[in-house]
Amino acid sequence: MRRHAPSPSLGQIAAEAGVSRAAVSMALRNHPRIPPETRQRIQLIATRLGWKPNPLLAEAMSAIRAGQPPADRVTLAWLTAHPRRDTWRRIPFFRRCFEGAEARAAGAGYHLEHFWLGDADGSAGRLGDILLARGITGVVISPLPAPTSFALPWDQLSAVAVAYTLTAPRLHRAADNHYHSARLAVRHLRAAGRHRIALAISADYDRRVNGLWTAGYLQQMHATGTTDHALLYLPEDLRETALLAWMRSARPDAIIGTDPRIPQWLRRAGLRLPHDIAYADLDLPAPDGDLAGIYQDAPGIGACAIDLLAGQLLRHERGLPETPKILMIESRWADGATAPATPPAVRAQLDEPEPIAGQPRPVLPSRPVPFD
C-alpha cells in the first residue's frame, strides 16, 4: 500500500512562519485581511513543509464559519449591457445561457442576480461601486451587444466572461466550441451530398466569435479537398440583393450562416430548400425542425461559467488571471427543413474529426500497450 506523507498542521506552519494559527488559516485561503506579501511567504513555507489544499474541506469550513447556508451569504452578479434592461432575454442563446448559469448557481448554493449597466447610467465604474457596496465580488459578464472592453474594479472581483465579446481585460471564459461547430456543419452537409458549401456571415458576427467559425469552415473544407475562396462571403452587413448576386457568381449548393433571413431570401428568389440549395444555421434558436444546423449548449456554457467563478471564489482569487482559461462546450447538429436529413447510418460517425488531407486516420491498438 502506498503511504502518503502527512500534511503539516496549522500549528507547525505557524511556528515556522512566526505567526498565529489564525493568520496561517487566512493566508492559505487567500483572505484579503492578510497582506499579499505575508500571504505569499506563509504559502511558500506551507508548500515547503508539504501542505496541500483540500477544496472540499475548505468549502465546508467556509459554510461552517458563516453559520448559514451559502445561498444566504453569496450573491453572484450576471452583468448585461444591452440598450434596454431586458433586451438580452429576447435572444434565445443569451437567455438560455442565463438559465443554465442560474440553475448551476442555485445548485451550488449561490444566488445569481441580474445587473444592468443602464442601472448605473452606463458607467462601468459606478456599477462596480454598486456591486462592492452590496458585498458582491463574483461577476459573470454575459455576451455583450458588441465586442468591447469594461473598466470594473477588477482587483476586487472574481470574474468570468461568457463568449468572446468582452475584448478587454482577458478573463477566464466559457464559450461554444465555434471551431468544432463550423466543422460539424460542413461534415453534415457533405454527408447529405452537398459539395459546394459556402459560409455567408457578416464580418461583425465572425468577430464576435473571434474568427472561429471561419477557421473551422476553412479547415474542414481544406480537409475534404474542396477549398474555394469564392465560397467564403464575409461582408460587413448581409443584404439580400448583394447576397443573391454573390450566389449567382459562386454557385454554392449549400450555405452555412447565422442569419435566419437567408432562407427567406432564397425562397423569394424562387429557390426550393433543400432541393435547389441547402441552408444550415450555426446558432439555431431552437431544434424545432424549421431550420437545420447547430444547436449550441447554451445552458451548459452558462453552468460552466459558474463553475469557473465558484472555483475562484473558493480560492479567494481576486483580480485579473495571469493565465486566462477558455472552456469550450461542444454543440450538436439538428436536422431541419432547410437541409437534407443526415443519413442515420453515418450520423454517429460525423462527430469524429476527419484526418488532415493526405494523412491517414490513426488506428488505435485493440488492447492497452505499455508506455515507452
Side-chain angles (χ1 to χ4, degrees):
M1 178 182 294
R2 180 177 297 174
R3 296 182 179 274
H4 297 275
S7 182
S9 66
L10 294 183
Q12 290 173 311
I13 300 172
E16 183 77 13
V19 298
S20 67
R21 289 165 54 95
V24 171
S25 176
M26 287 189 287
L28 296 180
R29 291 183 285 116
N30 281 315
H31 199 288
R33 285 181 57 186
I34 304 299
E37 297 81 4
T38 305
R39 290 204 306 264
Q40 185 178 18
R41 183 175 67 85
I42 293 174
Q43 289 169 3
L44 288 173
I45 292 172
T47 301
R48 176 167 53 81
L49 293 177
W51 175 84
K52 293 181 180 178
N54 184 332
L56 296 178
L57 178 60
E59 183 175 26
M61 290 306 296
S62 293
I64 292 171
R65 279 189 290 270
Q68 52 193 353
D72 293 335
R73 61 186 174 88
V74 176
T75 294
L76 308 179
W78 178 269
L79 193 155
T80 68
H82 286 75
R84 296 181 181 274
R85 195 174 210 284
D86 290 323
T87 300
W88 63 276
R89 294 185 187 274
R90 298 198 294 269
I91 303 173
F93 175 79
F94 294 0
R95 184 183 67 251
R96 291 168 53 239
C97 274
F98 176 78
E99 291 169 353
E102 187 177 42
R104 179 58 62 90
Y110 297 98
H111 168 64
L112 184 64
E113 184 174 339
H114 172 219
F115 287 82
W116 178 47
L117 189 62
D119 289 334
D121 300 322
S123 168
R126 176 168 168 71
L127 180 58
D129 292 339
I130 293 172
L131 295 174
L132 294 177
R134 288 273 309 273
I136 297 172
T137 58
V139 176
V140 179
I141 309 297
S142 77
L144 302 172
T148 189
S149 60
F150 259 92
L152 291 172
W154 301 112
D155 61 323
Q156 301 177 67
L157 297 173
S158 301
V160 172
V162 173
Y164 296 95
T165 48
L166 179 70
T167 56
R170 296 171 64 236
L171 300 177
H172 299 310
R173 71 181 71 235
D176 178 73
N177 189 343
H178 301 292
Y179 176 83
H180 169 265
S181 296
R183 294 195 67 188
L184 189 62
V186 172
R187 288 167 63 78
H188 274 269
L189 290 171
R190 281 186 59 83
R194 304 304 166 105
H195 299 283
R196 289 192 60 77
I197 302 169
L199 179 68
I201 60 176
S202 71
D204 174 65
Y205 259 71
D206 202 40
R207 283 192 292 268
R208 290 179 62 89
V209 301
N210 212 24
L212 292 172
W213 276 330
T214 299
Y217 164 81
L218 289 173
Q219 201 287 323
Q220 190 62 38
M221 293 294 283
H222 172 74
T224 58
T226 54
T227 303
D228 183 347
H229 288 285
L231 294 171
L232 182 61
Y233 186 57
L234 297 173
E236 281 299 318
D237 294 302
L238 285 177
R239 299 186 182 278
E240 181 175 2
T241 302
L243 181 132
L244 294 176
W246 159 77
M247 279 185 53
R248 286 191 289 272
S249 173
R251 297 177 292 105
D253 59 12
I255 295 177
I256 298 171
T258 59
D259 193 326
R261 297 177 300 172
I262 292 178
Q264 299 173 19
W265 296 343
L266 298 177
R267 291 188 179 104
R268 276 207 293 262
L271 297 170
R272 299 170 301 161
L273 277 73
H275 303 287
D276 299 326
I277 191 168
Y279 175 76
D281 201 286
L282 288 169
D283 185 16
L284 290 178
D288 54 13
D290 287 344
L291 299 174
I294 299 297
Y295 189 56
Q296 299 184 45
D297 183 6
I301 294 169
C304 182
I306 295 298
D307 290 343
L308 283 168
L309 183 58
Q312 292 178 73
L313 292 169
L314 180 61
R315 296 185 296 271
H316 293 278
E317 293 177 356
R318 304 288 187 269
L320 303 178
E322 291 186 11
T323 307
K325 303 181 183 70
I326 301 178
L327 296 186
M328 294 188 289
I329 306 299
E330 293 196 351
S331 50
R332 65 180 177 89
W333 171 268
D335 285 329
T338 57
T342 304
V346 301
R347 188 180 186 101
Q349 303 173 16
L350 294 180
D351 286 331
E352 299 180 10
E354 291 182 359
I356 302 300
Q359 296 183 4
R361 187 184 298 275
V363 178
L364 297 178
S366 58
R367 68 170 106 183
V369 295
F371 290 105
D372 290 337

